[in-house]
Amino acid sequence: MCMKRAIYLAGLGQEMYPMSLRDYAQRLSKALDEEDPVASNAYKAEISEMEYSQEGLSVDVVTISKSSEQDEKIVYKLYNFDYAQFLTSNYSDANILKRFLVLCLVLLARFPSLMKSFFDFNFHIKKRSKIQASYFLIIYAVLGMYLLFLIPSVLSVLNGMMDQSGDTVNNSWFGEFLNWIEPVASGIVTSFAVTMMLSPASKTIFAKTAIEYLGANQYLSTGEQRQKILGKLSKLIEEIIEKEGEDIKIELHGYSFGSVIAFDALFPKESPPSTRIKNCITSFCTIGFPLDYIEIYWDNYFSNRVYDGLSLVDWKNIWSETDVLSSSLDNDKTKKLSLIKDEQFWETLSFREYSYNIFDSNSVGYLELFMFYGIRAHSMYWDRHSDSKSCLVYLAKNDN
């Protein structure tokens, strides 16, 4: 087995699910060990760091080594691409007023599509799509709660501005409005304090969810930060080539929203992929690829991408029938051609799809729907425990 090199793009929400590069590498190492026909062979993962930018940016690097009776050699080298820091940079450091106003505008803009998808009683709509709408409703509720929690801070900022403006503003209708809403803000503060007491991590979760949603929404809606993210990814690939050699081949592994970023790098709309991506990326792996879900709220986002001389020969798509965010392409030629209108591309590409199910999708009834089993399945491609079974066994089967 020759050494493989891969760039890993995690999903958003790493505070809630074990999806870091270390988590991913540990599961892959275990899968390789389990699928190795020689039981005495052992695998281990070691993490290090590599700089790849004049700005001082660095990435985590994990090497997976295989020890046999004869020798020890590296079989996998995984590089982490943390796109989330660029995706959210416009909002993570924004002042409270900007964050509040932008979130208000985004929620108002998305409200009609949310109501349409959730209350459309057309019997031809699949139950899977209904659950997807339910998930969007959860995100909407979480963001709405975060918006409420911001109100006291916003009022504090506005009151500070009024104090500087003098009595004219204080005696205006705006001043009266602030005086009227002050008891409401006090109630929110009390509710917030109770929430913090019951769940200390909820403040961080609300804030991170809101910021990541804003970043993802703007990325999908207007392309905000897309060029920066794809440029940084191309720079990382160039740095790997400079260190490892011109003739190396690199895989892209994307989980959840990370698979969207990886797809955009391979099949961009704005311009052709970089020469480095064209020549070096030969294998693509998507896990929990949210293609269908994104298409509900961002029409034709993935449509009509151009195949532009890529060296890509292999695409593995791991999905789950119970994960309503993941997507299947295997038996849908129309869907494939809506993505990339090049029949020759699909004929020459080795496209393999694996369904990884923890429980039977047919057993998911309306009770399970309201318990959001279909959403929870999105985090079940591997467990929190590194020794548990994972979907990465499909990658290991092809490597041994």
Side-chain angles (χ1 to χ4, degrees):
M1 175 181 174
C2 298
M3 184 176 77
K4 293 191 173 186
R5 298 166 182 85
I7 297 174
Y8 171 64
L9 297 88
L12 299 173
Q14 292 195 32
E15 293 75 17
M16 293 179 281
Y17 305 120
M19 64 177 89
S20 69
L21 176 67
R22 184 188 293 271
D23 297 318
Y24 187 80
Q26 286 176 338
R27 275 74 177 173
L28 180 57
S29 177
K30 181 179 186 298
L32 289 168
D33 196 6
E34 287 183 339
E35 294 300 317
D36 195 319
V38 181
S40 60
N41 289 342
Y43 291 77
K44 65 177 181 180
E46 296 179 325
I47 192 166
S48 60
E49 198 173 84
M50 181 190 84
E51 286 195 6
Y52 74 100
S53 166
Q54 293 179 350
E55 301 168 4
L57 295 173
S58 61
V59 294
D60 289 333
V61 183
V62 173
T63 54
I64 299 177
S65 301
K66 172 184 175 180
S67 298
S68 63
E69 293 180 355
Q70 291 78 30
D71 59 7
E72 178 176 326
K73 60 182 179 180
I74 297 175
V75 294
Y76 244 114
K77 188 175 282 189
L78 297 158
Y79 298 82
N80 183 54
F81 180 61
D82 181 16
Y83 63 88
Q85 62 180 310
F86 311 118
L87 186 74
T88 61
S89 60
N90 284 349
Y91 306 103
S92 55
D93 298 326
N95 64 56
I96 202 74
L97 275 177
K98 178 181 177 181
R99 201 181 298 177
F100 181 83
L101 291 173
V102 173
L103 189 55
C104 280
L105 291 173
V106 169
L107 293 183
L108 286 172
R110 288 287 157 215
F111 190 73
S113 59
L114 169 65
M115 292 297 101
K116 182 178 184 298
S117 62
F118 193 71
F119 292 106
D120 192 339
F121 295 102
N122 187 335
F123 290 106
H124 296 291
I125 294 178
K126 295 180 180 179
K127 182 170 68 176
R128 183 183 181 88
S129 298
K130 287 290 185 185
I131 307 175
Q132 288 173 331
S134 303
Y135 178 62
F136 198 82
L137 185 63
I138 294 174
I139 295 179
Y140 205 89
V142 170
L143 294 176
M145 290 178 66
Y146 179 68
L147 202 61
L148 286 175
F149 292 158
L150 286 181
I151 288 177
S153 299
V154 171
L155 291 179
S156 177
V157 172
L158 292 176
N159 275 319
M161 294 169 58
M162 288 181 59
D163 289 341
Q164 295 177 358
S165 302
D167 293 336
T168 303
V169 178
N170 284 318
N171 294 327
S172 68
W173 65 269
F174 189 61
E176 293 177 2
F177 170 74
L178 290 180
N179 291 331
W180 172 79
I181 203 172
E182 189 173 351
V184 177
S186 299
I188 293 172
V189 171
T190 303
S191 302
F192 188 67
V194 172
T195 304
M196 292 302 100
M197 184 174 63
L198 296 175
S199 178
S202 58
K203 180 180 179 181
T204 301
I205 292 174
F206 284 155
K208 287 285 290 183
T209 300
I211 291 170
E212 288 181 348
Y213 176 76
L214 285 176
N217 179 83
Q218 296 305 97
Y219 178 93
L220 295 170
S221 300
T222 65
E224 183 177 289
Q225 301 292 68
R226 187 180 299 140
Q227 297 305 309
K228 182 177 183 179
I229 290 171
L230 299 185
K232 296 294 184 184
L233 177 58
S234 184
K235 176 62 179 174
L236 174 58
I237 293 171
E238 184 172 351
E239 188 69 23
I240 295 172
I241 292 170
E242 289 178 1
K243 289 181 180 295
E244 303 279 345
E246 292 283 344
D247 58 343
I248 65 168
K249 303 303 178 186
I250 300 174
E251 303 175 356
L252 279 186
H253 295 195
Y255 166 61
S256 192
F257 199 80
S259 61
V260 177
I261 303 291
F263 183 88
D264 285 344
L266 290 170
F267 309 102
K269 278 190 174 182
E270 294 83 357
S271 59
S274 70
T275 301
R276 298 283 184 255
I277 290 177
K278 280 185 181 181
N279 295 340
C280 297
I281 305 299
T282 58
S283 184
F284 186 30
C285 175
T286 49
I287 303 172
F289 186 26
L291 184 150
D292 294 336
Y293 173 71
I294 288 175
E295 284 284 301
I296 292 176
Y297 301 102
W298 288 271
D299 291 342
N300 302 315
Y301 178 81
F302 294 103
S303 299
N304 301 323
R305 301 297 180 99
V306 178
Y307 164 61
D308 193 352
L310 291 172
S311 301
L312 191 68
V313 296
D314 177 70
W315 180 354
K316 303 178 188 72
N317 183 48
I318 302 174
W319 75 297
S320 172
E321 294 176 11
T322 52
D323 173 16
V324 297
L325 298 185
S326 66
S327 305
S328 171
L329 294 169
D330 202 21
N331 297 315
D332 195 336
K333 184 177 179 180
T334 302
K335 184 186 287 187
K336 286 181 178 178
L337 290 175
S338 71
L339 289 177
I340 300 156
K341 286 187 174 181
D342 190 325
E343 292 195 28
Q344 186 178 0
F345 167 77
W346 291 108
E347 290 172 0
T348 57
L349 179 73
S350 173
F351 182 84
R352 286 170 285 178
E353 194 162 80
Y354 306 96
S355 180
Y356 185 75
N357 300 299
I358 299 299
F359 51 91
D360 185 4
S361 62
N362 295 321
S363 66
V364 178
Y366 286 100
L367 174 62
E368 287 77 17
L369 187 154
F370 286 109
M371 294 178 70
F372 303 108
Y373 274 40
I375 307 306
R376 290 158 61 185
H378 193 61
S379 64
M380 292 182 180
Y381 291 98
W382 51 81
D383 195 77
R384 293 185 180 275
H385 301 283
S386 59
D387 287 336
S388 61
K389 184 182 177 183
S390 76
C391 71
L392 301 184
V393 66
Y394 295 123
L395 299 185
K397 284 180 183 295
N398 292 303
D399 289 334
N400 282 308

